[in-house]
Amino acid sequence: MILIGGSGPNDAAWVKDPDWQTYTQQLTAGALEATRAVDQKNVEALLAAGNSLVAACEGCHAKF
């Protein structure tokens, strides 16, 4: 959903930005990693996925 943007004044431009697209891909990958980790009951993998998600969120919020 984040790839299509929302109703914010800058959303239409942001979704076209290559960095935005990279961050959304990182968020998707991190979420999938977290889901797999939960399914496998792997706490270490879940923590790693969480770190990936935080890095993607912080990077995106710093730019956008």
Side-chain angles (χ1 to χ4, degrees):
M1 293 299 295
I2 196 169
L3 278 172
I4 62 172
S7 59
N10 298 317
D11 286 7
W14 287 351
V15 297
K16 295 176 187 172
D17 187 297
D19 289 335
W20 179 276
Q21 294 171 11
T22 298
Y23 287 124
T24 60
Q25 291 167 354
Q26 291 172 351
L27 287 172
T28 299
L32 291 172
E33 289 174 27
T35 300
R36 280 190 223 105
V38 168
D39 288 343
Q40 297 170 357
K41 297 179 178 20
N42 185 334
V43 174
E44 287 183 30
L46 182 59
L47 292 173
N51 289 337
S52 295
L53 288 168
V54 168
C57 289
E58 288 180 346
C60 189
H61 282 267
K63 178 165 184 178
F64 299 98

